[in-house]
Amino acid sequence: MSTTTHKIDEIIKNVERVIIGKKEEIRLCLVAFLAEGHVLLEDVPGVGKTVFVKAMAKTIGGSFKRIQFTPDLLPTDVTGVSIYDQKKQVFEFRPGPIMANVVLADEINRTSPKTQSALLEALEEGNVTVDGETIKIHSPFFVMATQNPVEYSGTFPLPEAQLDRFLVKIRLGYPTLEEELELLKRVEHEHPIDTLESVVSLEELLMLQAESKEVFIDEHVKTYLINIIHATRLNREIELGASPRASIALMRTSQAYALVMGREYVTPDDVKQVAPFVLGHRIRLGNEALMREQEPETLLEEVIKHIRVPVERKRQTT
């Protein structure tokens, strides 16, 4: 087993000490992290979204901040603010909670669009701008935002421009009976999150992110990927198809997924596996699909079934 594969397995197993029965979701979250993207967690309250993010932060040993989004939250409550120091007679920047390695943006759809937009620059550029000054957020930088899909009273739905900044959208779902029983056993005397320790350093994580970009992707696989993107633009049930930015996101995610699965090259199955999570929140369904209460991810799976899969070829070595 290579050092990279060993580290990835350690990260997943460590988070599984807290989050039971959600290995695929943990893997997808790690994939987004390695692809230098961000995650939108959409699920009902109480399924472990907050604990999930805390477990990820503790596992990598990075700094962790939580932002509880409310209607009265201001943009400076997210980015930070410059305060005048009378002794020094200068303005000093006081960093906001966004200046951390792992950030939990809790119930992001409960704050105003003005405050939501404060996240855009940070998510896309890794910077914040305060009083005209651009301030770099230290790497690695990873945001996991949550929203409740069943309670819309007093919420502000995220615009497409902001949804597009999240690399993947994940749902945890309820545990099975056996998994929930195991959960009760683990938290009976002490919550495992309290004793969780890091298994990888920030420097090692940055190396994994760099390795992710070097994963080989054949031209035929790139063509397969683009065919999926174009199919979303031609489907009659999809009002707004995936953008070129979605093409880049799908390629980066496929590379990271291949690395997590222990390979140095991307296969069509990698693309097929991550496509619903990368594209589901980047398309807008038409009225007919909405009336049928069609899930975007389910529709994407049907679209992908009709795309010709390239025959896998062995990579040429020099």
mmCIF file of all heavy atoms in Angstrom, residues 18 89 95 125-126 131 148 173 191 221 225-227 273 285 290:
data_model
loop_
_atom_site.group_PDB
_atom_site.id
_atom_site.type_symbol
_atom_site.label_atom_id
_atom_site.label_comp_id
_atom_site.label_asym_id
_atom_site.label_seq_id
_atom_site.Cartn_x
_atom_site.Cartn_y
_atom_site.Cartn_z
ATOM 1 N N VAL A 18 -16.742 8.475 14.229
ATOM 2 C CA VAL A 18 -17.811 9.377 14.670
ATOM 3 C C VAL A 18 -19.055 9.239 13.800
ATOM 4 O O VAL A 18 -20.183 9.186 14.309
ATOM 5 C CB VAL A 18 -17.316 10.842 14.641
ATOM 6 C CG1 VAL A 18 -18.432 11.795 15.068
ATOM 7 C CG2 VAL A 18 -16.095 11.014 15.521
ATOM 8 N N GLN A 89 -2.613 54.352 16.201
ATOM 9 C CA GLN A 89 -3.194 55.268 15.219
ATOM 10 C C GLN A 89 -3.236 54.652 13.817
ATOM 11 O O GLN A 89 -2.927 55.291 12.816
ATOM 12 C CB GLN A 89 -2.441 56.603 15.193
ATOM 13 C CG GLN A 89 -2.562 57.389 16.501
ATOM 14 C CD GLN A 89 -1.948 58.764 16.410
ATOM 15 O OE1 GLN A 89 -1.167 59.059 15.492
ATOM 16 N NE2 GLN A 89 -2.305 59.637 17.337
ATOM 17 N N PRO A 95 -9.650 39.291 12.054
ATOM 18 C CA PRO A 95 -10.199 38.261 11.146
ATOM 19 C C PRO A 95 -11.520 37.693 11.635
ATOM 20 O O PRO A 95 -11.734 37.513 12.839
ATOM 21 C CB PRO A 95 -9.100 37.198 11.130
ATOM 22 C CG PRO A 95 -8.313 37.420 12.384
ATOM 23 C CD PRO A 95 -8.380 38.883 12.656
ATOM 24 N N GLU A 125 -12.032 32.402 -4.663
ATOM 25 C CA GLU A 125 -10.673 32.916 -4.776
ATOM 26 C C GLU A 125 -9.785 32.598 -3.582
ATOM 27 O O GLU A 125 -8.566 32.742 -3.659
ATOM 28 C CB GLU A 125 -10.714 34.443 -4.974
ATOM 29 C CG GLU A 125 -11.547 34.907 -6.152
ATOM 30 C CD GLU A 125 -10.952 34.506 -7.482
ATOM 31 O OE1 GLU A 125 -9.743 34.222 -7.528
ATOM 32 O OE2 GLU A 125 -11.695 34.463 -8.475
ATOM 33 N N GLY A 126 -10.391 32.216 -2.445
ATOM 34 C CA GLY A 126 -9.593 32.014 -1.237
ATOM 35 C C GLY A 126 -9.134 33.317 -0.629
ATOM 36 O O GLY A 126 -8.137 33.375 0.092
ATOM 37 N N ASP A 131 -12.553 46.686 3.528
ATOM 38 C CA ASP A 131 -12.152 48.091 3.359
ATOM 39 C C ASP A 131 -11.201 48.269 2.179
ATOM 40 O O ASP A 131 -10.209 49.005 2.256
ATOM 41 C CB ASP A 131 -11.502 48.630 4.646
ATOM 42 C CG ASP A 131 -12.478 48.667 5.809
ATOM 43 O OD1 ASP A 131 -13.689 48.776 5.563
ATOM 44 O OD2 ASP A 131 -12.023 48.575 6.962
ATOM 45 N N ASN A 148 -31.325 23.165 5.477
ATOM 46 C CA ASN A 148 -32.440 22.273 5.751
ATOM 47 C C ASN A 148 -33.407 22.303 4.564
ATOM 48 O O ASN A 148 -33.962 23.354 4.250
ATOM 49 C CB ASN A 148 -33.145 22.737 7.032
ATOM 50 C CG ASN A 148 -34.308 21.841 7.429
ATOM 51 O OD1 ASN A 148 -34.673 20.916 6.707
ATOM 52 N ND2 ASN A 148 -34.902 22.114 8.571
ATOM 53 N N GLY A 173 -28.641 11.507 5.022
ATOM 54 C CA GLY A 173 -29.752 10.571 5.181
ATOM 55 C C GLY A 173 -29.770 9.933 6.561
ATOM 56 O O GLY A 173 -28.816 10.040 7.339
ATOM 57 N N HIS A 191 -18.869 11.032 23.931
ATOM 58 C CA HIS A 191 -18.985 11.177 22.482
ATOM 59 C C HIS A 191 -17.611 10.996 21.850
ATOM 60 O O HIS A 191 -16.633 11.614 22.292
ATOM 61 C CB HIS A 191 -19.552 12.552 22.134
ATOM 62 C CG HIS A 191 -20.163 12.599 20.766
ATOM 63 N ND1 HIS A 191 -19.422 12.430 19.610
ATOM 64 C CD2 HIS A 191 -21.452 12.771 20.365
ATOM 65 C CE1 HIS A 191 -20.222 12.515 18.562
ATOM 66 N NE2 HIS A 191 -21.456 12.719 18.992
ATOM 67 N N VAL A 221 -11.566 9.936 -22.018
ATOM 68 C CA VAL A 221 -12.344 10.143 -20.799
ATOM 69 C C VAL A 221 -12.807 11.603 -20.713
ATOM 70 O O VAL A 221 -13.928 11.883 -20.291
ATOM 71 C CB VAL A 221 -11.518 9.757 -19.549
ATOM 72 C CG1 VAL A 221 -12.324 9.998 -18.269
ATOM 73 C CG2 VAL A 221 -11.095 8.301 -19.619
ATOM 74 N N LEU A 225 -16.621 12.923 -20.488
ATOM 75 C CA LEU A 225 -17.035 13.907 -19.491
ATOM 76 C C LEU A 225 -17.790 15.063 -20.155
ATOM 77 O O LEU A 225 -18.866 15.476 -19.686
ATOM 78 C CB LEU A 225 -15.784 14.412 -18.750
ATOM 79 C CG LEU A 225 -15.921 15.382 -17.592
ATOM 80 C CD1 LEU A 225 -14.710 15.218 -16.649
ATOM 81 C CD2 LEU A 225 -15.971 16.835 -18.062
ATOM 82 N N ILE A 226 -17.242 15.574 -21.260
ATOM 83 C CA ILE A 226 -17.872 16.697 -21.957
ATOM 84 C C ILE A 226 -19.208 16.277 -22.567
ATOM 85 O O ILE A 226 -20.162 17.071 -22.620
ATOM 86 C CB ILE A 226 -16.928 17.260 -23.036
ATOM 87 C CG1 ILE A 226 -15.699 17.897 -22.380
ATOM 88 C CG2 ILE A 226 -17.641 18.279 -23.909
ATOM 89 C CD1 ILE A 226 -16.025 19.046 -21.455
ATOM 90 N N ASN A 227 -19.303 15.035 -23.025
ATOM 91 C CA ASN A 227 -20.569 14.545 -23.580
ATOM 92 C C ASN A 227 -21.676 14.557 -22.525
ATOM 93 O O ASN A 227 -22.842 14.840 -22.825
ATOM 94 C CB ASN A 227 -20.394 13.132 -24.130
ATOM 95 C CG ASN A 227 -19.644 13.118 -25.457
ATOM 96 O OD1 ASN A 227 -19.591 14.127 -26.155
ATOM 97 N ND2 ASN A 227 -19.057 11.983 -25.795
ATOM 98 N N GLN A 273 -19.493 8.095 -11.359
ATOM 99 C CA GLN A 273 -19.768 8.023 -9.929
ATOM 100 C C GLN A 273 -19.973 9.402 -9.302
ATOM 101 O O GLN A 273 -20.855 9.602 -8.474
ATOM 102 C CB GLN A 273 -18.620 7.301 -9.213
ATOM 103 C CG GLN A 273 -18.814 7.124 -7.722
ATOM 104 C CD GLN A 273 -19.931 6.162 -7.378
ATOM 105 O OE1 GLN A 273 -20.220 5.239 -8.146
ATOM 106 N NE2 GLN A 273 -20.576 6.377 -6.245
ATOM 107 N N LEU A 285 -34.124 22.218 -13.260
ATOM 108 C CA LEU A 285 -35.108 21.363 -13.914
ATOM 109 C C LEU A 285 -36.237 22.193 -14.513
ATOM 110 O O LEU A 285 -36.579 23.266 -14.020
ATOM 111 C CB LEU A 285 -35.681 20.357 -12.907
ATOM 112 C CG LEU A 285 -34.689 19.408 -12.237
ATOM 113 C CD1 LEU A 285 -35.417 18.399 -11.369
ATOM 114 C CD2 LEU A 285 -33.829 18.682 -13.270
ATOM 115 N N LEU A 290 -40.266 19.224 -12.419
ATOM 116 C CA LEU A 290 -40.594 19.733 -11.088
ATOM 117 C C LEU A 290 -41.970 19.257 -10.632
ATOM 118 O O LEU A 290 -42.167 18.927 -9.455
ATOM 119 C CB LEU A 290 -40.542 21.264 -11.077
ATOM 120 C CG LEU A 290 -39.152 21.907 -11.211
ATOM 121 C CD1 LEU A 290 -39.261 23.414 -11.370
ATOM 122 C CD2 LEU A 290 -38.290 21.561 -10.000
#
